[in-house]
Amino acid sequence: MEMQIDGTIIALALGDITLEETDAIVNAANSGLRGGGGVDGAIHRAGGGSIMEECRKIGFCPTGQAVVTGGGNLKARYVIHAVGPIYRGGGRGEADLLKSAYRESLKRATEKGLRSISFPAISAGVYGYPLDEAAHIALMTVIDYVKEHREIDLARFVLFSRDVYDVFSSEMKKLMCCGRS
Ligand code: AR6
């Protein structure tokens, strides 16, 4: 499923983000950039040791921020390591931090002059963010950004399971039919 915002395609795909051929893929990392399970583990396994070497040099990334490394053995030239919030009920600024993680990732892409980027569902796994809210924030933040930054041609959400894909597609349908809510 996809939608178009001015010149940018925003697409949803079911699959493994490590196989993406966009200029950058985004990792759902932790602040210590130490690697871990989920999509983080998959990206480091597929990309090889050079990504972790660069992460060690960078050392730390605050929640809501994003840092860039090369893509190692991946097809994507860059990995943008974004740190989403751990969900603790919603009263601790989680929505703003999740929005910031997407926005900062897009800013890193713009700074590098990239035209295409793939995202996983940041914070929606181990970090426990309710999926419908996470999908809404993800889509709204990317839509708002590409309206201001026409240089991004393609933003893909690469979702690992059918249930996550279905929630993103129902949020996208709502946004296409009724605008922002
Ligand atoms: N491609 C795309 N999406 C994936 C893949 C993949 N190969 N593998 C998992 N997902 P999570 P978080 C989905 O837990 O919630 C790590 O240990 C997964 O199904 O990876 O932000 C880090 O080091 C889910 O929908 O990230 C942090 O400590 C989504 O990616 C912590 O987990 C995000 O799930 C970050 O937790």
Side-chain angles (χ1 to χ4, degrees):
M1 181 177 186
E2 62 184 48
M3 69 192 291
Q4 188 159 353
I5 303 288
D6 302 323
T8 307
I9 303 281
I10 299 179
L12 306 182
L14 182 59
D16 177 354
I17 201 166
T18 65
L19 304 174
E20 286 295 300
E21 297 184 8
T22 45
D23 295 335
I25 63 171
V26 174
N27 182 17
N30 53 64
S31 284
L33 304 172
R34 293 181 307 273
V39 70
D40 197 358
I43 287 171
H44 282 286
R45 273 194 305 278
S50 68
I51 299 177
M52 183 51 75
E53 243 171 69
E54 283 188 67
C55 282
R56 281 207 195 92
K57 283 184 195 146
I58 298 165
F60 186 77
C61 178
T63 304
Q65 296 294 313
V67 298
V68 191
T69 67
N73 301 329
L74 298 169
K75 288 184 179 140
R77 277 190 289 143
Y78 295 98
V79 177
I80 299 173
H81 304 263
V83 182
I86 299 171
Y87 190 79
R88 294 194 175 95
R92 300 186 186 210
E94 291 95 330
D96 284 344
L97 288 166
L98 185 58
K99 185 173 172 184
S100 174
Y102 281 102
R103 205 171 163 81
E104 290 297 317
S105 299
L106 288 158
K107 281 195 207 164
R108 294 299 87 75
T110 300
E111 287 160 11
K112 292 274 182 201
L114 309 185
R115 307 193 73 95
S116 59
I117 182 167
S118 300
F119 291 96
I122 300 170
S123 286
V126 174
Y127 280 1
Y129 214 106
L131 200 46
D132 51 349
E133 289 173 42
H136 182 77
I137 290 169
L139 287 166
M140 278 311 313
T141 307
V142 172
I143 290 168
D144 284 347
Y145 188 89
V146 302
K147 281 182 183 163
E148 300 160 17
H149 296 84
R150 305 282 173 93
E151 65 276 8
I152 306 269
D153 295 328
L154 173 65
R156 281 165 63 77
F157 287 93
V158 182
L159 307 161
F160 204 47
S161 62
R162 171 56 68 177
D163 53 329
V164 178
Y165 180 91
D166 287 346
V167 172
F168 270 74
S169 75
S170 93
E171 284 299 324
M172 185 179 269
K173 276 180 204 142
K174 280 188 219 161
L175 290 167
M176 285 162 82
C177 117
C178 316
R180 56 183 311 168
S181 58

